[in-house]
């Protein structure tokens, strides 16, 4: 049977861990109280007498007040605090002595009171936050419904007549504001600059009904200096309130479409000023606003569910620890104190339940077409059940991979492919394909290991990456993809090398590796719902976002994936070479050196070597533009130094001169020191001054501290892999390309361990601010007349 402490730790909300009852501390305080000598009492008799005593005590105690009861064991005083945020405070007084353990018992109840007060205060604060969010969403919903009615009315007028009169237009105007200040809501600022959004600046001034007269400011906005507004930024008002639609530019498609829309609006608004100021409503923006409001309702409902879990688990924890106290002391404290807990604010307030019912009702009515089952798919998504078939196929493909790999290794050894004096054509044309896939799926395999480790340590990676709970990959899915893909790759190359051993010429079989690469690409972009389509398309979207990163806001998953690409430069260079080899049809003439002789290819090799660092640097620049923090500029400098080091390394590979060698050593040393500092201090959050864990940080998820020191040392060693470029150390019996693959694999392994600590630090930052649900920015904002 699972102990309650483990069950309690496994079910609590990870980001709210510090706000839950500290059950472990209460157990430690309880151990300070010596158990009574009840060994001679039969267990059955003791249990039955304990039940009778508890039930009799519950019957005797009919109410809870401030009046002292002489016949009670304890009395809990309820103090009314002057501050409404703290609410009621509880303090326990012992009415009976516990012998030599009176001080220990008093310490236990002091800790118990502290935990009860903490739980009540946290519940009150979170409840207030969710209630305010709920009221804001209701107002947003009213505005959205009014806008949709206005659009329908506009379409009806356009259908009846092509030339609308001024009286037939929608009573409102839209302004073209060319200002570009950054808007930051108070909630987003509390949750860190990573939650900031760059909003589009089209403003709708809506007028009309009493609903809008009641509209409150949804979010208090902070502006950058008003001098940053251009002279053309204006607001037009109608009969009612002035409202602005702010849609975050979270992807390139939205950014391009809205920029184009802004240009059209600027032209039409000039005519509109002369023709009665008719409104221009972008249906696409209204649709995106509706999606934002729907997402906000889903996140609010999720947060309310977390708050219900918080209530139930804490109530159960109080009951369990009081039961243990009664068992140790043979007293009847459980019915007395538990009644206090039941009447306390966190258990007696029903506002959360009512708001959850309202949110569910609104969502069913407006977003699910009165279909409750459909609404529950969004509000309470069910987790995918892990199938035993996945585990079976992992084992099957692992066995097949081992068999093919052994066969491939034997054939390659017989043919002498990987010796220093090996077959040059094979090593220059086929081996890069194997190297590319090996590095790619090694990285993917390590990601599966990361998922397993994050799950075991309760790091909420799905929340950090904003993954769908119904579609995100489990670690078994990742392992299945890796084993299946590598079985196919090694199997195809085994067939290829077998055909060469049988006497087939390279001209006859050289197309096989190219077909393998082509089929892999087609499978990646396949539009059919096979082989994890949602994951494949999400990967493509993230890659698109990385390439176009300066155009819109950068989220966690984007720059995390860009960091992965920085460790896959050798893989990208192999991909570039293999693509050139087959696209230029060099495989038909066996001219594997054609791409190396072409100037455009050589220039492209430089670009590929530092493109990942360039994309990551652009993401840092964009985050600085959005958030205004200079730390992003410092981070940008790290990637600039890495770009210079990579460029110097490529140049040295082309022209092996002393000058280039010195430049490689200098630039690589600077980049290594820069990267190590950022890894340990910024990304992992270690080496904190004054930490209670020397050289680490205050909060650690892993219990054994030496693992952190070992990881820092391993990261240092693997960061120095570039020294191989200078030393040129090669094993006498292995081709130099194998050495390069080993070094590239070590960098991938370094990135795999970096991933764990990077997300651990991110998770602890979220937990430090109690961030368990995503704050979705709301689209409609009221504008003051002076704006």
């Amino acid at each position: 049977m699972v102990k309650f402490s483990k069950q309690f730790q496994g079910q609590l909300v990870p980001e709210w861990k510090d706000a839950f009852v500290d059950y472990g501390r209460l157990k430690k305080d309880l151990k300070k109280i010596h158990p009574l000598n009840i060994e001679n009492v039969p267990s059955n008799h003791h249990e039955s007498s304990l039940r009778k005593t508890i039930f009799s005590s519950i019957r005797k105690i009919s109410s809870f007040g401030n009046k002292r009861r002489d016949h009670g064991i304890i009395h809990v005083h309820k103090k009314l605090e002057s501050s409404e945020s703290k609410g009621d405070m509880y303090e326990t007084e012992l009415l009976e002595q516990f012998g030599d353990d009176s001080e220990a018992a008093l310490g236990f109840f002091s800790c118990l009171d502290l935990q009860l007060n903490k739980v009540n205060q946290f519940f009150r604060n979170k409840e207030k936050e969710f209630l305010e969010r709920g009221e804001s969403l209701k107002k947003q919903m009213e505005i959205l419904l009014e806008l949709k009615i206005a659009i329908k009315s506009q379409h009806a007028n356009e259908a009846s007549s092509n030339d609308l009169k001024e009286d037939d237009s929608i009573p409102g105007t839209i302004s073209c504001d060319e200002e570009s200040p950054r808007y930051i809501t108070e909630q987003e600022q509390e949750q860190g600059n990573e939650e900031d959004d760059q909003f589009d600046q089209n403003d709708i001034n809506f007028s009309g009904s009493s609903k809008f007269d009641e509209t409150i400011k949804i979010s208090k906005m902070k502006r950058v200096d008003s001098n940053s507004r251009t002279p053309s930024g204006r607001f037009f008002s109608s009969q009612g309130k002035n409202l602005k639609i702010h849609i975050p530019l979270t992807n390139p498609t939205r950014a391009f479409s809205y920029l184009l829309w802004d240009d059209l609006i600027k032209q039409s608004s000039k005519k509109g000023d002369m023709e009665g100021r008719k409104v221009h409503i972008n249906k696409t923006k209204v649709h995106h606003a509706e999606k934002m409001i729907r997402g906000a309702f889903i996140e609010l409902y999720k947060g309310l569910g977390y708050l219900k879990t918080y209530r139930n688990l804490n109530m159960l924890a109080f009951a369990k620890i009081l039961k243990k106290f009664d068992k140790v002391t043979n007293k009847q404290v459980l019915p007395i104190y538990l009644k206090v807990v039941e009447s306390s604010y966190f258990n007696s307030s029903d506002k959360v339940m009512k708001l959850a019912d309202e949110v569910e009702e609104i969502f069913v009515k407006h977003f699910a077409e009165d279909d409750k089952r459909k609404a529950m798919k969004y509000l309470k998504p069910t987790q995918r059940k892990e199938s035993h078939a996945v585990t079976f196929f992992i084992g099957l493909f692992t066995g097949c991979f081992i068999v093919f790999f052994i066969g491939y290794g034997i054939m390659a050894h017989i043919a002498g492919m990987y010796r220093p004096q090996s077959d040059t054509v094979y090593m220059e044309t086929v081996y890069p394909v194997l190297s590319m896939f090996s590095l790619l799926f090694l990285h993917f395999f390590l990601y599966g290991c990361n998922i397993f480790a994050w799950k075991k340590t309760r790091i909420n990676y799905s929340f950090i990456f904003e993954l769908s709970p119904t579609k995100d990959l489990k670690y078994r899915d990742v392992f299945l993809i890796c084993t299946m893909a590598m079985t196919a790759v090694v199997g195809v190359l085994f067939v290829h090398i077998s055909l060469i051993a049988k006497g087939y010429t390279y001209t006859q079989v050289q197309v096989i590796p190219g077909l393998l690469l082509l089929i892999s690409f087609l499978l990646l972009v396949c539009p059919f719902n096979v082989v994890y389509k949602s994951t494949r398309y999400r990967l493509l979207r993230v890659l698109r976002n990385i390439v176009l990163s300066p155009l819109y806001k950068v989220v966690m998953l984007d720059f995390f994936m860009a960091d992965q690409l920085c460790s896959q430069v050798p893989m990208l260079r192999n991909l570039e070479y293999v693509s050139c080899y087959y696209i230029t049809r060099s495989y038909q003439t066996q001219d594997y050196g054609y791409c190396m002789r072409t100037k455009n290819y050589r220039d492209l090799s430089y670009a590929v070597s530092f493109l990942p660092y360039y994309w990551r640097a652009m993401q840092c620049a964009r985050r600085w533009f959005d958030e205004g923090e200079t730390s992003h500029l410092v981070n940008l400098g790290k990637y600039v130094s890495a770009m210079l080091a990579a460029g110097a390394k490529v140049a040295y590979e082309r022209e092996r001169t002393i000058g280039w060698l010195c430049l490689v050593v200098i630039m690589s040393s600077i980049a290594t020191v820069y990267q190590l500092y950022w890894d340990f201090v910024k990304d992992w959050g270690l080496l904190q001054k004054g930490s209670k864990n020397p050289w680490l940080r205050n909060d650690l998820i892993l219990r054994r501290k030496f693992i952190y020191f070992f990881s820092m040392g391993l990261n240092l060693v693997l960061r120095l892999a570039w020294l191989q470029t200078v030393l040129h150390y090669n094993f006498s019996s292995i081709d130099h390309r194998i050495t390069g693959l080993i070094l590239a694999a070590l960098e991938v392994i370094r990135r795999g361990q970096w991933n764990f600590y990077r997300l651990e630090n991110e998770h602890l930052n979220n937990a430090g601010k109690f961030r368990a649900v995503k704050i979705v920015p709301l689209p409609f904002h009221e504008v003051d007349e002076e704006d």
Side-chain angles (χ1 to χ4, degrees):
M1 185 176 180
V2 181
K3 292 184 178 180
F4 173 73
S5 56
K6 292 184 178 179
Q7 183 182 3
F8 182 69
Q9 291 293 326
Q11 293 182 2
L12 55 78
V13 183
E15 289 79 9
W16 294 354
K17 182 179 179 180
D18 293 339
F20 279 82
V21 173
D22 195 343
Y23 191 78
R25 179 182 173 186
L26 289 173
K27 285 181 65 178
K28 290 180 180 179
D29 289 345
L30 187 58
K31 289 180 180 179
K32 297 177 182 179
I33 303 176
H34 300 289
L36 294 179
N37 186 15
I38 54 175
E39 295 179 357
N40 298 327
V41 181
S43 59
N44 293 336
H45 174 73
H46 172 69
E47 291 178 1
S48 60
S49 62
L50 183 60
R51 292 194 192 101
K52 291 179 181 179
T53 307
I54 291 176
F55 288 133
S56 62
S57 300
I58 293 176
R59 287 194 295 268
K60 289 179 182 179
I61 301 174
S62 58
S63 62
F64 171 74
N66 294 326
K67 185 178 179 180
R68 176 168 175 159
R69 306 296 179 90
D70 293 335
H71 60 273
I73 301 173
I74 61 171
H75 181 69
V76 185
H77 296 277
K78 180 179 180 181
K79 298 180 180 180
L80 299 177
E81 291 291 325
S82 58
S83 175
E84 294 183 359
S85 61
K86 292 185 178 181
D88 301 328
M89 305 294 288
Y90 296 92
E91 183 178 351
T92 302
E93 177 187 1
L94 300 182
L95 301 182
E96 289 187 6
Q97 296 297 321
F98 288 78
D100 296 336
D101 296 324
S102 295
E103 292 185 3
L106 184 61
F108 171 80
F109 281 107
S110 298
C111 182
L112 196 64
D113 295 335
L114 180 65
Q115 298 301 315
L116 179 58
N117 294 330
K118 178 184 72 173
V119 168
N120 277 318
Q121 183 177 350
F122 180 82
F123 186 89
R124 189 184 297 272
N125 293 337
K126 279 296 175 183
E127 181 187 67
K128 181 181 178 182
E129 176 186 332
F130 288 141
L131 289 176
E132 292 177 352
R133 190 71 175 175
E135 288 299 318
S136 298
L137 279 173
K138 292 176 188 177
K139 299 295 182 181
Q140 295 277 313
M141 197 67 214
E142 291 178 1
I143 299 171
L144 177 64
L145 294 176
E146 291 285 346
L147 266 180
K148 294 173 76 173
I149 293 173
I151 291 176
K152 290 182 180 179
S153 175
Q154 186 178 27
H155 284 308
N157 291 334
E158 289 177 353
S160 61
S161 175
N162 292 329
D163 298 326
L164 290 175
K165 297 179 181 179
E166 182 179 350
D167 296 336
D168 294 331
S169 62
I170 299 174
T173 58
I174 185 168
S175 69
C176 300
D177 192 2
E178 295 181 358
E179 60 181 346
S180 59
R182 295 185 294 272
Y183 291 86
I184 306 174
T185 64
E186 288 184 346
Q187 288 177 333
E188 290 169 349
Q189 189 179 30
E190 290 176 359
Q191 296 199 356
N193 290 324
E194 289 185 2
E195 299 294 332
D196 296 343
D197 286 274
Q198 180 72 23
F199 293 116
D200 186 62
Q201 302 296 323
N202 282 348
D203 311 317
I204 291 182
N205 300 329
F206 212 83
S207 68
S209 64
S210 58
K211 290 182 180 180
F212 289 98
D213 295 333
E214 297 173 358
T215 302
I216 61 171
K217 275 193 176 180
I218 305 304
S219 301
K220 297 179 180 180
M221 311 304 294
K222 293 184 178 181
R223 289 183 177 270
V224 182
D225 190 1
S226 59
N227 294 331
S228 63
R229 180 186 300 182
T230 59
S232 60
R234 297 176 296 144
F235 297 102
F236 299 94
S237 61
S238 186
Q239 301 174 0
K241 302 290 184 181
N242 296 330
L243 298 174
K244 299 179 70 174
I245 294 184
H246 300 302
I247 306 296
L249 306 181
T250 53
N251 58 66
T253 304
R254 186 178 295 182
F256 283 127
S257 62
Y258 284 178
L259 289 174
L260 179 62
W261 171 257
D262 289 345
D263 291 338
L264 295 175
I265 283 297
K266 289 174 185 178
Q267 296 176 3
S268 60
S269 61
K270 294 179 181 179
K271 299 179 181 179
D273 289 341
M274 303 300 296
E275 298 174 0
R277 293 180 180 176
K278 297 179 183 179
V279 72
H280 301 277
I281 300 180
N282 188 340
K283 291 188 297 182
T284 304
K285 280 195 171 184
V286 175
H287 175 67
H288 286 152
E290 183 176 4
K291 290 178 66 176
M292 290 172 63
I293 294 174
R294 183 183 66 182
F297 271 113
I298 293 173
E299 290 299 318
L300 175 61
Y301 193 83
K302 185 191 297 182
L304 295 173
Y306 286 159
L307 209 53
K308 293 178 188 177
T309 301
Y310 180 81
R311 166 190 288 169
N312 297 334
L313 284 180
N314 282 319
M315 192 68 203
L316 187 59
F318 280 117
K320 288 288 184 179
I321 199 65
L322 289 170
K323 183 178 178 180
K324 285 182 177 292
F325 182 87
D326 286 1
K327 185 177 180 180
V328 170
T329 62
N330 199 22
K331 301 289 185 179
Q332 299 178 12
V333 174
L334 173 65
I336 301 175
Y337 201 95
L338 195 60
K339 190 167 186 179
V340 176
V341 176
E342 290 175 348
S343 63
S344 63
Y345 187 84
F346 88 94
N347 188 63
S348 61
S349 176
D350 61 347
K351 296 178 181 179
V352 172
M353 301 294 294
K354 291 181 179 179
L355 180 58
D357 293 338
E358 290 181 22
V359 170
E360 186 176 318
E361 181 181 354
I362 293 173
F363 198 92
V364 170
K365 181 178 180 181
H366 297 290
F367 298 107
E369 301 175 351
D370 292 325
D371 187 347
K372 187 173 183 179
R373 181 177 297 181
K374 179 181 178 181
M376 289 298 105
K377 291 181 180 180
Y378 293 96
L379 296 176
K380 292 182 178 180
T382 55
Q383 296 284 346
R384 288 191 299 111
K385 295 182 179 180
E386 297 184 356
S387 173
H388 292 293
V390 175
T391 305
F392 168 76
F393 281 111
I394 291 175
L396 176 63
F397 286 118
T398 301
C400 294
F401 168 73
I402 293 174
V403 170
F404 281 127
F405 185 77
I406 292 174
Y408 176 80
I410 293 173
M411 296 297 296
H413 177 72
I414 294 173
M417 294 298 184
Y418 295 133
R419 296 173 185 173
Q421 294 80 23
S422 58
D423 189 335
T424 306
V425 176
Y426 185 88
M427 294 303 295
E428 292 288 350
T429 59
V430 181
Y431 176 73
V433 177
L434 176 62
S435 175
M436 179 184 63
F437 281 112
S438 298
L439 292 174
L440 176 62
F441 289 107
L442 172 63
H443 205 143
F444 205 50
F445 173 79
L446 291 174
Y447 175 68
C449 296
N450 286 144
I451 294 177
F452 178 80
W454 291 330
K455 185 178 180 181
K456 286 297 182 182
T457 53
R458 292 186 58 77
I459 294 175
N460 198 350
Y461 68 95
S462 296
F463 169 66
I464 295 173
F465 290 145
E466 300 181 11
L467 301 176
S468 171
T470 59
K471 296 180 180 180
D472 64 320
L473 292 179
K474 310 301 181 184
Y475 68 91
R476 286 189 179 90
D477 298 317
V478 177
F479 292 156
L480 176 61
I481 294 173
C482 291
T483 54
M484 182 172 58
M486 285 308 297
T487 299
V489 171
V490 177
V492 170
L493 294 182
F494 173 73
V495 172
H496 177 267
I497 199 172
S498 299
L499 293 175
I500 294 176
K502 288 182 179 181
Y504 287 86
T505 62
Y506 279 104
T507 306
Q508 294 174 306
V509 299
Q510 199 71 334
V511 72
I512 294 178
L515 288 176
L516 176 63
L517 189 63
L518 179 62
I519 292 173
S520 302
F521 174 76
L522 293 178
L523 187 60
L524 178 63
V525 299
C526 177
F528 301 108
N529 191 17
V530 292
V531 194
Y532 302 99
K533 176 186 175 182
S534 60
T535 301
R536 290 188 286 108
Y537 274 59
R538 185 176 184 88
L539 174 63
L540 292 174
R541 285 195 297 270
V542 171
L543 293 176
R544 175 205 63 186
N545 294 348
I546 292 173
V547 175
L548 302 175
S549 53
L551 299 178
Y552 61 98
K553 179 195 170 187
V554 180
V555 297
M556 174 73 186
L557 185 58
D558 293 341
F559 64 76
F560 184 85
M561 187 63 187
D563 279 325
Q564 311 307 305
L565 292 179
C566 291
S567 295
Q568 285 287 7
V569 172
M571 187 270 292
L572 295 176
R573 293 187 64 183
N574 284 332
L575 177 61
E576 172 207 11
Y577 173 77
V578 172
S579 300
C580 176
Y581 180 73
Y582 283 99
I583 291 175
T584 59
R585 296 188 177 183
S586 299
Y587 66 93
Q588 295 178 348
T589 60
Q590 302 293 303
D591 188 8
Y592 57 83
Y594 173 79
C595 293
M596 304 298 293
R597 297 192 303 269
T598 305
K599 182 179 182 301
N600 293 335
Y601 172 83
R602 293 200 304 269
D603 294 339
L604 185 61
S605 65
Y606 282 95
V608 170
S609 297
F610 63 77
L611 261 180
Y613 303 106
Y614 167 78
W615 290 329
R616 191 65 185 88
M618 291 299 99
Q619 288 179 336
C620 294
R622 177 66 196 213
R623 293 187 68 191
W624 169 79
F625 178 78
D626 288 341
E627 303 166 13
E629 286 195 356
T630 55
S631 61
H632 296 306
L633 291 180
V634 181
N635 196 15
L636 184 148
K638 180 187 72 172
Y639 293 103
V640 171
S641 68
M643 277 192 287
L644 295 176
K649 182 179 177 181
V650 174
Y652 175 67
E653 290 176 355
R654 304 295 183 197
E655 302 177 12
R656 295 184 179 274
T657 62
I658 298 298
W660 281 114
L661 177 61
C662 294
L663 187 61
V664 167
V665 173
I666 294 173
M667 296 308 305
S668 297
S669 300
I670 295 174
T672 300
V673 174
Y674 209 153
Q675 291 164 351
L676 285 173
Y677 167 78
W678 204 268
D679 286 345
F680 297 153
V681 178
K682 299 296 183 179
D683 291 335
W684 293 4
L686 303 177
L687 302 180
Q688 291 184 358
K689 295 181 179 179
S691 172
K692 64 181 181 181
N693 300 308
W695 300 100
L696 300 176
R697 66 170 99 87
N698 290 329
D699 297 323
L700 300 174
I701 289 182
L702 301 180
R703 294 182 179 179
R704 299 180 179 179
K705 299 178 183 179
F706 81 90
I707 297 178
Y708 291 93
F709 293 105
F710 174 79
S711 298
M712 285 194 287
L714 183 61
N715 189 73
L716 170 62
V717 172
L718 296 179
R719 279 286 190 188
L720 297 175
W722 60 267
L723 289 173
Q724 170 63 17
T725 307
V726 180
L727 299 177
H728 299 293
Y729 180 79
N730 290 313
F731 297 97
S732 58
S733 59
I734 299 179
D735 189 277
H736 69 91
R737 300 174 186 85
I738 305 297
T739 307
L741 175 61
I742 294 174
L743 293 175
L746 290 177
E747 169 59 21
V748 172
I749 293 173
R750 187 202 65 81
R751 180 62 65 180
Q753 77 149 6
W754 180 92
N755 290 341
F756 175 82
Y757 296 107
R758 176 66 182 87
L759 248 69
E760 179 198 27
N761 189 38
E762 187 70 20
H763 173 80
L764 291 175
N765 289 336
N766 288 337
K769 299 176 182 177
F770 301 110
R771 289 190 295 200
V773 292
K774 183 174 62 175
I775 298 297
V776 180
L778 302 180
F780 303 113
H781 300 269
E782 186 178 330
V783 182
D784 292 331
E785 292 183 0
E786 59 267 18
D787 290 337

